[in-house]
Amino acid sequence: MRLDKYLKVSRIIKRRSVAKEIADKGRIMINGKVAKSSSDVVTNDELVIKFGNKTLTVQVNELLETTKKDDAERMYTIVKEEYAQDFRQE
């Protein structure tokens, strides 16, 4: 499955166009290699996604063509979530 479609269907990123833009800027890695929006994603791949302040690492569990909200969370497991600077209040 294409990377941009996987990110949309799994609801990690809300829109496919946004997923494509982020990937084409080199902010997504698949198994340690910079990925394009057209890169293929398979089960057990590790995705590292760099949002502005946040870096999210996920493990791909399943590939589904379409999902309901409850099923989307089964598609991946969050391995690590890091913040460059933590702005959350304690």
Side-chain angles (χ1 to χ4, degrees):
M1 177 182 287
R2 285 176 55 109
L3 175 62
D4 55 352
K5 182 172 181 179
Y6 176 80
L7 292 171
K8 179 202 172 284
V9 172
S10 66
R11 298 174 191 227
I12 294 172
I13 297 177
K14 300 274 189 233
R15 290 185 198 90
R16 190 167 176 175
S17 60
V18 174
K20 180 183 182 331
E21 184 179 323
I22 290 172
D24 290 343
K25 286 183 178 178
R27 293 171 41 192
I28 301 177
M29 297 175 71
I30 299 176
N31 299 326
K33 295 180 182 172
V34 176
K36 294 183 180 178
S37 59
S38 60
S39 299
D40 284 330
V41 176
V42 295
T43 54
N44 297 321
D45 275 352
E46 184 175 86
L47 305 179
V48 178
I49 307 160
K50 294 178 184 166
F51 300 98
N53 186 45
K54 175 179 161 183
T55 301
L56 182 66
T57 305
V58 298
Q59 179 84 31
V60 177
N61 295 336
E62 282 185 74
L63 300 176
L64 303 172
E65 290 299 316
T66 59
T67 58
K68 295 200 179 333
K69 187 176 182 181
D70 298 334
D71 296 334
E73 293 178 4
R74 288 193 346 231
M75 292 181 69
Y76 63 92
T77 304
I78 296 175
V79 176
K80 190 168 38 173
E81 191 172 358
E82 298 174 308
Y83 292 88
Q85 186 174 359
D86 197 349
F87 295 106
R88 296 175 291 179
Q89 299 295 320
E90 292 185 17

